[in-house]
Amino acid sequence: MSKKSRDAIRNNLERALAPPTRRSASLDGLLNEYSPPDSSSPGPTTASGPTVERPAALPVSGPTSLSGPTSLSGPATASGPEQYDLKATLPQSAGHTEVPHRYTDHLCALLSPDEQAVYTQLYRLSWGWGKETCFISIPRLSERSSVPESTLRRALKKLEGKRLVERTERKFGGGQTEQGITFRVFALSGPTAVSGPVNVSGPTAVAPNKVLKETSKRESAPPDYKLCPDCQGSGFYYPEGIEKGVAKCKHARLREGK
């Protein structure tokens, strides 16, 4: 390599390694030297093309679509909540069961929802066929009432404790498997809905049907008019004395117990 070539290479290396010279020692000169290019002037191009300014973001109050901004106040569906006709899915079942208002107006409020479901099924299976007993297994009764078996057994004990139903017979199959239970469902339509003893406020418990029979006998027996203090059984008396005339006796004092 010639001396001239080596001197040229050396000069190029010295210029490349030497720090840049400052044009001015003043602050304005330093800022002008090291400040970025003016944004108003067209910027330099790169290999991928000229720089493109990002558009300013527009304020959007809700989700937008291609057709324009959309404002949603809440979740919505095309047709509202899903609805279907439950009655249309039920199979036909002829007949009906008359439920006394004594049950719907009074007894329901005294039973839990599980007790109501179980009692309604037992009432339908018994009095729906015009009899006071029905035979059904615990799994089948659980299926009809939609009450789990463990909960159903507790509900049955409560219904028995309230003297609304009674287990009269159990049937077992092979391997001592319980096939079903015969339940007696006490009637609600008459005054003697419960035939067993009830807990009254006094020290003794009397069967209500016995009390009703004794009461009806006392009410149906005619009074002894001979004991009437006004007419002594004649049927006539002098309400204001003999001078005022006679009148038909209504036995008012006898009925009042005077």
Side-chain angles (χ1 to χ4, degrees), residues 76-115:
T77 59
S79 60
E82 183 180 358
Q83 297 181 356
Y84 65 98
D85 188 0
L86 180 60
K87 299 188 298 297
T89 64
L90 302 178
Q92 293 294 332
S93 182
H96 66 279
T97 301
E98 294 184 0
V99 180
H101 293 171
R102 194 178 190 184
Y103 171 70
T104 54
D105 293 350
H106 304 287
L107 182 57
C108 267
L110 304 176
L111 301 178
S112 67
D114 293 332
E115 293 171 352

Side-chain angles (χ1 to χ4, degrees), residues 158-249:
K158 293 180 180 179
L159 292 174
E160 289 178 289
K162 296 173 182 177
R163 299 293 294 158
L164 295 173
V165 301
E166 180 184 31
R167 306 185 204 204
T168 61
E169 184 183 3
R170 289 186 178 182
K171 289 187 178 181
F172 295 89
Q176 294 299 314
T177 303
E178 185 179 83
Q179 292 182 341
I181 304 174
T182 301
F183 292 94
R184 179 187 179 191
V185 183
F186 297 106
L188 290 175
S189 57
T192 58
V194 180
S195 62
V198 295
N199 186 13
V200 296
S201 58
T204 59
V206 181
N209 58 345
K210 184 177 180 180
V211 175
L212 290 172
K213 288 180 181 179
E214 293 178 355
T215 304
S216 61
K217 287 180 180 179
R218 289 197 301 266
E219 292 179 353
S220 59
D224 189 358
Y225 297 123
K226 293 181 180 180
L227 301 177
C228 178
D230 294 326
C231 69
Q232 288 80 37
S234 63
F236 297 94
Y237 78 116
Y238 301 94
E240 299 180 7
I242 299 176
E243 296 81 5
K244 298 288 184 174
V246 69
K248 186 176 181 179
C249 183

Side-chain angles (χ1 to χ4, degrees), residues 48-93:
S48 60
T51 58
V52 180
E53 295 182 359
R54 294 181 60 186
L58 298 177
V60 180
S61 60
T64 59
S65 62
L66 294 178
S67 60
T70 305
S71 176
L72 298 177
S73 59
T77 59
S79 60
E82 183 180 358
Q83 297 181 356
Y84 65 98
D85 188 0
L86 180 60
K87 299 188 298 297
T89 64
L90 302 178
Q92 293 294 332
S93 182

